[in-house]
Amino acid sequence: MSLSSDPPKFRVAICGAGIAGLFLAITIGQFAGRDIHIDLYEARDAITTAGAGVGISRRAAEVMVELGLYEKISQISASPPSSSYGRRMRKSDAPNGGFEWFHYISKTLKQGFNMHRQELVDILKQSIPSSCTMHFNKRLTKYEKQSSGSLALYFADDSTSITDILVGADGIHSPVRKTLFETIGPDIIDPSKIRHYSDPSWTGTLVYRSIFPAEKLLKLDPNNVAVKDFVMFCGREKHIVSYPVSRGTLINVVAYVPDEQKTGIPFEGHWVSAVSQEEVMKAYQDFEPNAKRVLDYSSQCFENPSRWALHVLNDLPLFTWDRVALIGDAAHAMTSHLAAGAGQAIEDAFVLGRLLAHPLTTLDNVPTALKAYQDVRLSFTQFVARQSERTPRLMYDFCALGGNEQEEMEVLKEKIVDLLESWVSEGEGGAVAEWVKAERQLQEGSYSGWCENSAT
């Protein structure tokens, strides 16, 4: 780390001030000090976030510990992070009454917790380092590589900027990803595959989202299973997720209605729109009273619930090229069935931030550092995305049930537990272990480069 009077070793531009971009800026600032100048570009006029609830796994919690943020962030969770992380699984497609299928208590997620997304972002905003300059109302349209190797950034307001390294943390619609694949060259990427990699794909699933005061449910229906616990109301071809956030004062509700026949076709209309309470209730008219009351109360608290067309990215062949990298939803937007998207973005940001801040990383060997990030993160994030995608189809929506329902539900239970445990323990043991592996790769690459230069 240099003295504050020394010039930075390079400039990093981060497009997108969401969870991924904020964690990246914090990581670089904490481990590089003022060695690296950060420009954080946000398309809107303030740092805000879409959605409500966010799940934090053990892996993401490890990153928070490393950054000194764990205690502060865990204080806004719905339950103490030391408590067991679990969820109540109910069979709910019974109009006259469902039943608790099983109560899952995780063996590996004991540090995990749920929270309100905006509250997490508000804490992260307070930790933005002094080496970071914020730029609002800056929506990137494209970038171009200059003859010097630097990158020219072009924004929708006709302004431009120059940077040494560009990180796309700009979400599923990422202009950074679009430009990367459009300009990478036919010797690397088949031109017929550019749209496949740059454009999001509709899953065929519609998601209804709402959030309401827990006090309302407690007053009107004090014995409802959703008052205090993470609950999955499961049914054939649809399910509802409900869990407390904001220290238990709010209940986040997410209801899924999939249509596999529409998977992959373009979605017509706005991805996010307000809908009537009647539309939501009609979709779950065959569900148990517990579930319908949660939907009813959540709709009553707002003029209209929102409907989201759930989109994902196809698996990308790479996350980096030259001095450009993708993180978070810009690299691997996934379904929300495992509540893993935000956690994977946090892990991306930590590994990449540590690599860029490393004393061995210079402007000359930035591609080596970015390659180390890609090598430890790409395969694991895509594994998580695949696990998340198969979760509702094979498990929660009971599509596999046939003859002996009781026996088959027991088999499904075992599969669900295996799936929920496997993704968080898969890979190299966590983000910190992945960082160690990436650092070793950076060291080996830097040593090889030093030997080659010495030989010449």
Side-chain angles (χ1 to χ4, degrees):
M1 187 181 299
S2 66
L3 298 175
S4 59
S5 59
D6 294 338
K9 61 180 182 178
F10 48 67
R11 300 159 296 175
V12 174
I14 304 171
C15 282
I19 291 175
L22 290 170
F23 264 100
L24 178 59
I26 292 168
T27 303
I28 294 173
Q30 186 165 135
F31 291 97
R34 304 193 68 84
D35 253 0
I36 297 174
H37 179 76
I38 308 164
D39 286 296
L40 183 53
Y41 296 97
E42 171 53 43
R44 291 165 292 191
D45 60 3
I47 299 178
T48 58
T49 183
V54 59
I56 300 298
S57 72
R58 172 190 60 78
R59 296 174 60 102
E62 286 181 357
V63 172
M64 296 176 180
V65 172
E66 291 293 307
L67 297 176
L69 296 171
Y70 183 80
E71 292 301 324
K72 184 180 293 186
I73 291 175
S74 65
Q75 288 174 6
I76 64 173
S77 67
S79 58
S82 58
S83 63
S84 296
Y85 179 93
R87 56 187 72 187
R88 295 188 180 276
M89 311 290 293
R90 295 183 63 83
K91 190 176 190 305
S92 298
D93 52 350
N96 296 324
F99 60 89
E100 183 166 300
W101 179 12
F102 66 95
H103 187 190
Y104 162 70
I105 301 294
S106 174
K107 299 175 183 178
T108 59
L109 293 180
K110 291 184 178 180
Q111 282 183 290
F113 43 87
N114 301 305
M115 65 183 64
H116 197 293
R117 187 177 293 262
Q118 186 60 53
E119 291 178 341
L120 171 60
V121 168
D122 288 343
I123 287 178
L124 298 179
K125 288 192 295 186
Q126 300 170 15
S127 301
I128 294 174
S130 60
S131 56
C132 176
T133 302
M134 285 295 313
H135 306 268
F136 293 105
N137 296 308
K138 293 296 180 182
R139 185 178 298 277
L140 186 79
T141 57
K142 66 176 182 178
Y143 68 85
E144 290 179 352
K145 184 175 180 178
Q146 307 295 289
S147 58
S148 63
S150 60
L151 301 165
L153 311 181
Y154 297 86
F155 297 95
D157 63 358
D158 293 328
S159 64
T160 61
S161 186
I162 299 293
T163 191
D164 296 313
I165 301 164
L166 173 61
V167 180
D170 45 352
I172 193 171
H173 297 287
S174 173
V176 177
R177 182 183 67 250
K178 183 175 184 293
T179 304
L180 187 153
F181 282 102
E182 287 178 346
T183 59
I184 199 171
D187 54 329
I188 305 299
I189 296 296
D190 181 348
S192 67
K193 290 282 191 179
I194 291 175
R195 292 287 300 275
H196 179 76
Y197 297 137
S198 61
D199 293 353
S201 175
W202 184 32
T203 62
T205 296
L206 295 176
V207 183
Y208 299 96
R209 298 177 184 268
S210 189
I211 190 167
F212 67 98
E215 182 182 12
K216 184 176 182 67
L217 183 60
L218 186 62
K219 181 179 179 180
L220 298 176
D221 191 9
N223 295 320
N224 195 294
V225 293
V227 170
K228 295 182 179 180
D229 294 325
F230 188 119
V231 183
M232 297 200 68
F233 299 96
C234 307
R236 192 179 293 272
E237 298 180 354
K238 67 190 76 169
H239 67 279
I240 303 168
V241 179
S242 170
Y243 58 88
V245 296
S246 297
R247 304 175 189 85
T249 62
L250 298 173
I251 295 178
N252 186 51
V253 181
V254 188
Y256 297 85
V257 181
D259 186 344
E260 288 194 4
Q261 294 183 348
K262 295 180 179 179
T263 301
I265 69 172
F267 180 77
E268 300 293 336
H270 296 291
W271 286 18
V272 181
S273 59
V275 296
S276 66
Q277 180 181 359
E278 289 73 22
E279 177 177 332
V280 182
M281 298 305 295
K282 182 178 179 181
Y284 291 91
Q285 59 185 347
D286 60 340
F287 265 43
E288 63 168 305
N290 264 322
K292 288 192 286 190
R293 282 195 289 268
V294 168
L295 290 178
D296 186 31
Y297 298 155
S298 67
S299 299
Q300 288 178 21
C301 291
F302 298 92
E303 291 185 4
N304 290 298
S306 61
R307 185 188 66 196
W308 301 54
L310 185 59
H311 285 70
V312 297
L313 287 184
N314 297 305
D315 284 354
L316 302 185
L318 48 82
F319 286 175
T320 72
W321 184 251
D322 194 29
R323 296 185 189 173
V324 180
L326 303 172
I327 65 173
D329 281 355
H332 45 70
M334 61 186 69
T335 65
S336 52
H337 301 301
L338 287 180
Q344 290 308 297
I346 292 168
E347 294 183 44
D348 288 347
F350 179 73
V351 173
L352 179 58
R354 291 298 304 267
L355 286 164
L356 292 176
H358 199 282
L360 286 177
T361 302
T362 65
L363 196 54
D364 291 335
N365 72 347
V366 160
T368 300
L370 299 188
K371 179 66 162 50
Y373 154 72
Q374 175 180 283
D375 287 350
V376 301
R377 293 297 300 153
L378 186 147
S379 62
F380 181 73
T381 57
Q382 293 179 352
F383 164 77
V384 175
R386 288 191 297 272
Q387 293 292 84
S388 183
E389 181 182 6
R390 65 183 280 258
T391 297
R393 184 172 66 251
L394 298 178
M395 310 294 184
Y396 304 139
D397 296 337
F398 298 94
C399 294
L401 293 184
N404 191 322
E405 184 171 295
Q406 185 173 353
E407 290 184 5
E408 291 183 2
M409 286 185 68
E410 187 63 27
V411 173
L412 280 179
K413 169 186 171 181
E414 294 176 2
K415 289 183 178 180
I416 290 174
V417 171
D418 288 344
L419 185 147
L420 293 174
E421 294 290 342
S422 68
W423 80 263
V424 79
S425 58
E426 183 74 15
E428 299 298 325
V432 176
E434 286 181 339
W435 145 242
V436 172
K437 181 180 179 181
E439 181 186 34
R440 186 164 56 248
Q441 183 172 325
L442 173 65
Q443 292 168 337
E444 293 171 353
S446 300
Y447 177 73
S448 298
W450 178 83
C451 291
E452 290 174 5
N453 292 333
S454 297
T456 58

